[in-house]
Amino acid sequence: MKIPVTLKVNGETYDLIIAPYRTLLDVLREEIHLTGSKKGCDAGDCGACTVLLDGKPVNACLVLAATAQDREILTIEGLARNGKLHPLQEAFVREGAVQCGFCTPGILMSLKALLDTNPAPTLEEIKIAMAGNLCRCTGYSKMFKAVESLDRSP
Amino acid sequence: MSDFYAVGKSVARVDAVTKVTGAAGYTADVMLPGMLYGKAKRSPHPHARIARIDTSRAEALPGVRAVITAADVSEVLIGLRIRDVPLLARREVRFAGEKVAAVAAVDEETALEALDLIEVEYQELPALIDVKEAMKDGALLVHENLHTYSGLPKPVKKTNVFFHETFSKGDVALGFAQADLVLEHAFTTQIVHQGYLEPHAAVVDIGPDGSVTVWSSDKVPFRVRSLMAEIIGMPITRVRVIPSFVGGDFGGKGMIFDEPLCYYLARKAGRPVKMVMSRQEEFLAASPRHPSIIRLKAGVTKAGAITAWEASALFDSGAYAAYKPQVGLGGTKKLAGTYRIPHVHIEGRYVYTHNLPCGHCRAPGDPQASFAVESFMDMIAAKLKIDPFRFRWMNALEDGDLSPTGEPWRGINIKETMSAAVEKSGWGKAKPNQHYGIGIACAERPTGTGESSAVVIVNGDGSANIISGASDPGTGARTILCQIVSEALKVPMERITINLVDTDSAPYDQGAGGGRTTFVAGQSAYRAAMEVRKELVASAAKLLKCAPEEAQELIDVRDGFLFLKSEPAKRVSYAQAVKGAGKSQIMAEETFSCNQMEDTCFATHIAEVEVDPERGYVEVKRITAAHDIGFAINPAAAEGQIEGGIVQGIGFGLLEEMQRVDGKVTNPTLTDYKLCTPREAPEIITLLIEGAPGAGPFQAKSIGELPACPIAPAVANAIFDAVGVRITDLPISGEKIVNALKESGLSGGKAVAAGKERADAV
């Protein structure tokens, strides 16, 4: 049995008919074809699927798509606006914080949520905000540096 | 160094914008019309006979389009070198997690449901899960027909030890006779996963003419192509592999996994098929790092000279050897470290068991060897009451020395890395608190060899393309190639493009691995660019009225223009030069191949830790890592390799272990298998030591593998310095530290040199 669900993703509305057990991650990737959110574990451990739900970071693999009805969903594809990269994206590019890139979308979304509420985080706060995200390539160093390189004036 | 045009600079990666916007396509992102989802049925038993497989209920499930078993696939055994693994288990399963059947269905849920409907009747058999049991005479044989397998260096029969290698120099008996003191110890390392974030994925589409298109997360598209062609029984030209971005590798993405099953499912269903391994499948049946048992024996004089060194390693290969591109692991040769030792004997044995098969994991064999050797160096130093740094320094190789196994090494600068790391770390300084410890470790790893080709094109508008099959599983290789070509042609980076190209469109490349890409692919791109440059100069000579025989000498290039060195204001653009040659583009292709080399690289890591003796918790505060890199073409990318390797190495040293009970992995999730999170990431000081001549373009050496090697022993040595217990069994868990403290009576107390020196530890 499938049910109708309306999702608002990156400012656009999608009317979908989906099975009620499908995760937000699967629906984003397979129904809406927004494949920037990655499936690294499908169990909430790696954070590669992190998206913002009403501004808060969540593992899209742990959210049933039907429960995201009428909420504001922001994915990595919505982070750059009008062809202009978000300062975080620019900092990641500039500081060499991207290697294989598989964890990058999720980490950027976790950090976007942090900066939205705390524009001048300490290193410890950056680490806590990223604690649900795994990266195997970078050792995280250049990611910390990228965030610290941002203009921290509130 | 500062007068370089494009190299030696931390330019942004060519694919970074694609990656930060989520636009980068990985194999699991490939969606084709009508595509089906495949899933594999896996054995729950480490060793069993397959008595019967009934797929009828699965086939009857609505939405299922194809079910396959061994009866549907080629009987060929595959492997990167030793060919011993079947596409699907036939008659017998040899590890828990081995594939016995596969299904393709309209969606993943249906495919998973169908798996449960496949009935497999197993007759369980005794399983060999202990490597020492497997080595005994008369042990059950994991592979009865071992002698018929291809890829073995020499035929062996009726044994589970499929490879035994030795390295010798001098006469160890004589060396031990010259020693004042002989020490011996055993070390054990655990099985760890490479931990790439992107699970293996494959998509296969079969054209109406039978030609096969493969998308794969494999880092070596050309090997996927040749293996697939061989399995299917087609010429290579009928298989095209389209590379995607690769989400991390660390050695684990070099072998094909589900690609052949996708093919057989697609052929049966008449539709394209995608298979993506779950994280659980990754832990049950990928190709993790070999666990090892290493025994070291050293003879030393009271003054601290090493007179003899004996080493032996046992590697549990698991059920198959197919995942190793070499027969053995390079690390075996490293079992005498980076020291001057006149008499050395090393043995390595590789053993089949009914555990999950192991493969290549970042510097294959080296982290295991490095942990043993560099822990042992500290233990010897403690026994001799010599400072661990000084003991290493006294014995460290210098340029001109042969390697411990008697081979020529070029550009040995281990001491430079030692000095640099000591200077920038807390070595020799007062301890900030009583739980603090500091440890040092050194390592060596050669630059990788192989074959690459590259095409460089300067277009009619003066922009340039690089066409290369080199893969970049996150290392920055494609950016490095652009920097090399930018430097050779003096064309700005933003006017150079390198795209991911399929195996029909790119010339052959052996693929990333072993720290070869900057060297081998880099040389091919550099040489091709220099050929193009020559032709541009020859064309410009006419326009600049320069004698052709003097043109290469007198004409220089800058920013996409050519000019006489004597008259730099009068310039000819590359566009004009291309036109002047009567062409639409100027193109050159170069192949570079190198199979043997004396070039190697060195590193010293210093770890500073704090250990909570009550809980055994180790906080790695700071790592100082000095790497002999020759020349850093992109310093930020090089640092990124080092920083990533260090954090991966800390995981190997402290956290990670695929736990197994009766041959079955019991923690196959990232909840229970701990990778370092951002909170475990220490402060890292990376020191790029340039100047030793490397074989790569601009004298670059390699950097991909070495950072993962000396870190675990550096941390182990720091823990010993902090609390006085020596843990020689990885990972160094809190539990092991607390137990060792209790046993030694040091619990909660202060460190004394009380390393356990039990030769019978294993």
Side-chain angles (χ1 to χ4, degrees):
Chain A
M1 203 212 47
K2 292 187 174 181
I3 56 169
V5 173
T6 300
L7 294 182
K8 279 197 285 184
V9 185
N10 303 333
E12 291 194 41
T13 302
Y14 298 86
D15 292 317
L16 307 162
I17 307 287
I18 56 170
Y21 54 77
R22 295 196 78 189
T23 65
L24 180 58
L25 177 61
D26 282 345
V27 170
L28 286 171
R29 289 178 53 82
E30 294 186 12
E31 303 298 325
I32 309 180
H33 297 288
L34 292 173
T35 54
S37 305
K38 298 301 178 202
K39 189 185 278 191
C41 68
D42 213 19
D45 291 321
C46 77
C49 65
T50 305
V51 300
L52 302 193
L53 201 54
D54 291 333
K56 293 211 167 66
V58 295
N59 289 311
C61 72
L62 295 185
V63 174
L64 291 178
T67 67
Q69 165 112 11
D70 297 329
R71 300 171 72 179
E72 292 292 339
I73 301 162
L74 186 73
T75 73
I76 187 65
E77 288 89 348
L79 191 54
R81 284 289 162 86
N82 306 319
K84 189 167 165 30
L85 295 181
H86 186 280
L88 260 174
Q89 291 171 307
E90 286 178 347
F92 265 52
V93 172
R94 186 178 61 237
E95 299 295 337
V98 182
Q99 290 193 26
C100 86
F102 201 80
C103 72
T104 310
I107 287 182
L108 286 170
M109 298 315 284
S110 290
L111 290 172
K112 147 94 173 145
L114 168 70
L115 295 182
D116 283 350
T117 54
N118 179 1
T122 63
L123 177 60
E124 191 56 24
E125 287 169 335
I126 296 168
K127 288 186 176 184
I128 291 168
M130 287 169 57
N133 295 90
L134 295 172
C135 167
R136 191 59 147 179
C137 296
T138 66
Y140 308 102
S141 297
K142 300 245 182 291
M143 296 180 174
F144 301 152
K145 199 173 153 199
V147 183
E148 289 176 323
S149 77
L150 293 171
D151 177 11
R152 290 157 170 251
S153 49
Chain B
M1 296 286 174
S2 58
D3 55 350
F4 281 114
Y5 185 79
V7 299
K9 300 178 201 307
S10 295
V11 301
R13 293 187 183 218
V14 294
D15 50 13
V17 171
T18 310
K19 287 175 174 174
V20 297
T21 50
Y26 299 78
T27 301
D29 301 337
V30 172
M31 310 273 179
L32 302 176
M35 187 175 78
L36 303 173
Y37 294 78
K39 277 284 160 197
K41 174 97 175 169
R42 293 175 184 276
S43 164
H45 308 296
H47 190 205
R49 187 155 290 117
I50 301 171
R52 185 181 64 91
I53 302 185
D54 183 349
T55 59
S56 56
R57 286 175 64 213
E59 280 160 9
L61 183 72
V64 171
R65 294 287 185 266
V67 182
I68 56 170
T69 65
D72 299 289
V73 304
S74 166
E75 289 192 31
V76 66
L77 298 177
I78 64 165
L80 296 178
R81 172 80 185 252
I82 296 174
R83 296 178 165 232
D84 61 2
V85 69
L87 301 177
L88 285 171
R90 201 174 288 273
R91 295 181 288 279
E92 182 182 3
V93 291
R94 296 189 176 94
F95 73 98
E98 182 160 9
K99 293 178 275 197
V100 295
V103 302
V106 291
D107 55 38
E108 193 179 358
E109 291 78 7
T110 308
L112 287 168
E113 202 182 332
L115 288 188
D116 288 339
L117 298 175
I118 297 173
E119 290 165 26
V120 188
E121 194 185 309
Y122 295 100
Q123 289 166 351
E124 281 190 69
L125 298 168
L128 272 177
I129 54 173
D130 182 280
V131 68
K132 290 192 167 176
E133 289 296 317
M135 290 174 64
K136 284 183 180 161
D137 285 341
L140 181 72
L141 294 177
V142 178
H143 291 268
E144 291 278 354
N145 297 324
L146 177 59
H147 58 286
T148 65
Y149 293 169
S150 71
L152 285 161
K154 55 182 176 190
V156 278
K157 242 182 186 180
K158 302 281 174 210
T159 176
N160 290 313
V161 183
F162 61 86
F163 183 47
H164 177 196
E165 62 183 337
T166 60
F167 302 94
S168 272
K169 186 179 77 176
D171 175 355
V172 282
L174 178 67
F176 283 119
Q178 291 164 348
D180 296 325
L181 191 66
V182 174
L183 291 94
E184 195 171 358
H185 202 91
F187 301 82
T188 48
T189 69
Q190 78 284 33
I191 182 166
V192 297
H193 194 276
Q194 290 87 351
Y196 39 77
L197 264 275
E198 178 210 25
H200 281 95
V203 181
V204 170
D205 189 20
I206 305 173
D209 61 349
S211 64
V212 178
T213 306
V214 183
W215 290 259
S216 168
S217 57
D218 194 293
K219 64 171 174 176
V220 191
F222 286 89
R223 190 159 56 206
V224 175
R225 180 178 70 163
S226 56
L227 281 169
M228 288 295 283
E230 184 189 331
I231 291 163
I232 300 165
M234 284 184 168
I236 275 175
T237 50
R238 302 277 282 159
V239 179
R240 183 164 72 112
V241 180
I242 301 181
S244 307
F245 286 98
V246 176
D249 156 38
F250 317 111
K253 297 269 179 74
M255 173 62 167
I256 55 172
F257 281 81
D258 290 333
E259 289 83 352
L261 301 187
C262 284
Y263 167 78
Y264 287 106
L265 288 168
R267 199 175 72 173
K268 202 161 182 180
R271 298 238 223 132
V273 174
K274 168 153 77 179
M275 292 181 78
V276 181
M277 282 170 72
S278 69
R279 184 55 60 179
Q280 186 178 23
E281 289 178 293
E282 278 288 346
F283 279 115
L284 296 180
S287 58
R289 176 175 289 157
H290 291 66
S292 71
I293 300 172
I294 293 170
R295 180 175 284 271
L296 298 178
K297 183 178 169 188
V300 288
T301 66
K302 281 177 188 153
I306 306 172
T307 59
W309 190 279
E310 213 168 61
S312 75
L314 302 181
F315 293 106
D316 179 353
S317 182
Y320 297 102
Y323 302 88
K324 287 183 276 288
Q326 315 296 332
V327 178
L329 300 172
T332 298
K333 222 187 206 180
K334 314 297 176 61
L335 281 166
T338 53
Y339 305 105
R340 270 186 188 156
I341 310 170
H343 307 288
V344 175
H345 183 73
I346 298 173
E347 306 213 8
R349 287 179 181 80
Y350 303 84
V351 187
Y352 283 130
T353 62
H354 290 110
N355 290 315
L356 76 164
C358 293
H360 269 191
C361 179
R362 203 167 190 174
D366 286 35
Q368 297 97 311
S370 188
F371 172 68
V373 170
E374 291 298 299
S375 296
F376 196 44
M377 285 299 284
D378 261 37
M379 293 160 72
I380 301 169
K383 193 81 181 176
L384 294 173
K385 297 190 167 53
I386 300 176
D387 169 80
F389 170 80
R390 207 164 72 78
F391 181 54
R392 282 178 176 77
W393 186 271
M394 289 165 63
N395 289 289
L397 291 170
E398 290 185 7
D399 206 14
D401 285 338
L402 294 178
S403 81
T405 50
E407 291 163 330
W409 276 353
R410 192 169 82 112
I412 298 175
N413 68 346
I414 184 71
K415 285 191 170 176
E416 284 85 336
T417 68
M418 290 174 75
S419 305
V422 161
E423 189 193 328
K424 299 287 182 191
S425 69
W427 194 270
K429 301 186 178 102
K431 296 189 176 199
N433 62 64
Q434 65 156 349
H435 300 313
Y436 168 97
I438 188 164
I440 186 170
C442 305
E444 166 274 334
R445 199 164 198 290
T447 298
T449 57
E451 179 184 340
S452 284
S453 297
V455 175
V456 172
I457 299 169
V458 167
N459 299 296
D461 66 351
S463 64
N465 286 87
I466 304 169
I467 302 174
S468 157
S471 59
D472 182 346
T475 54
R478 298 191 310 124
T479 305
I480 300 285
L481 293 184
C482 286
Q483 285 182 265
I484 289 168
V485 169
S486 175
E487 186 68 44
L489 288 175
K490 303 290 191 289
V491 169
M493 280 290 284
E494 58 274 16
R495 288 181 64 78
I496 299 178
T497 296
I498 185 166
N499 282 317
L500 287 168
V501 274
D502 67 71
T503 51
D504 277 5
S505 313
Y508 176 81
D509 191 286
Q510 192 172 328
R516 76 161 66 92
T517 309
T518 296
F519 167 44
V520 181
Q523 284 290 10
S524 70
Y526 180 76
R527 290 167 187 215
M530 291 307 284
E531 282 303 307
V532 169
R533 178 169 155 167
K534 266 189 215 163
E535 197 175 336
L536 288 166
V537 167
S539 170
K542 287 178 275 178
L543 301 166
L544 292 168
K545 304 199 175 10
C546 173
E549 61 277 15
E550 290 178 329
Q552 301 298 335
E553 179 65 28
L554 299 182
I555 293 175
D556 204 357
V557 294
R558 190 88 190 170
D559 293 329
F561 288 90
L562 301 114
F563 50 88
L564 283 165
K565 289 173 188 167
S566 57
E567 206 178 344
K570 194 178 154 198
R571 304 191 303 173
V572 168
S573 72
Y574 280 9
Q576 288 169 299
V578 172
K579 201 174 168 198
K583 295 184 173 179
S584 304
Q585 64 179 25
I586 289 179
M587 181 179 93
E589 193 209 327
E590 284 287 326
T591 296
F592 183 79
S593 179
C594 171
N595 293 320
Q596 211 181 353
M597 220 189 20
E598 297 171 0
D599 251 47
T600 193
C601 316
F602 298 88
T604 298
H605 287 187
I606 291 179
E608 294 171 72
V609 305
E610 276 180 28
V611 184
D612 172 354
E614 300 302 321
R615 298 183 301 136
Y617 179 74
V618 178
E619 185 183 356
V620 181
K621 304 294 285 187
R622 183 164 68 166
I623 301 292
T624 307
H627 278 260
D628 157 40
I629 190 164
F631 174 72
I633 289 173
N634 187 321
E639 287 163 11
Q641 289 292 303
I642 295 168
E643 290 157 358
I646 284 169
V647 173
Q648 191 172 19
I650 291 171
F652 176 58
L654 297 177
L655 299 175
E656 296 177 33
E657 178 168 27
M658 292 167 66
Q659 292 156 353
R660 291 167 296 170
V661 173
D662 298 334
K664 299 175 193 176
V665 177
T666 56
N667 60 339
T669 68
L670 290 169
T671 313
D672 297 319
Y673 180 96
K674 298 291 185 195
L675 304 188
C676 287
T677 76
R679 304 201 70 181
E680 279 85 42
E683 179 194 352
I684 298 172
I685 299 173
T686 50
L687 304 167
L688 304 178
I689 310 300
E690 296 187 319
F698 313 101
Q699 304 208 325
K701 293 190 172 187
S702 71
I703 192 62
E705 314 252 16
L706 187 54
C709 303
I711 185 72
V715 169
N717 292 339
I719 292 169
F720 178 81
D721 186 50
V723 291
V725 292
R726 169 66 58 187
I727 311 294
T728 53
D729 170 45
L730 289 185
I732 304 176
S733 62
E735 188 183 355
K736 288 177 192 168
I737 291 174
V738 169
N739 287 342
L741 281 167
K742 274 185 197 154
E743 230 180 275
S744 64
L746 290 169
S747 222
K750 184 63 205 90
V752 291
K756 292 188 297 171
E757 278 165 29
R758 290 186 315 196
D760 59 345
V762 177

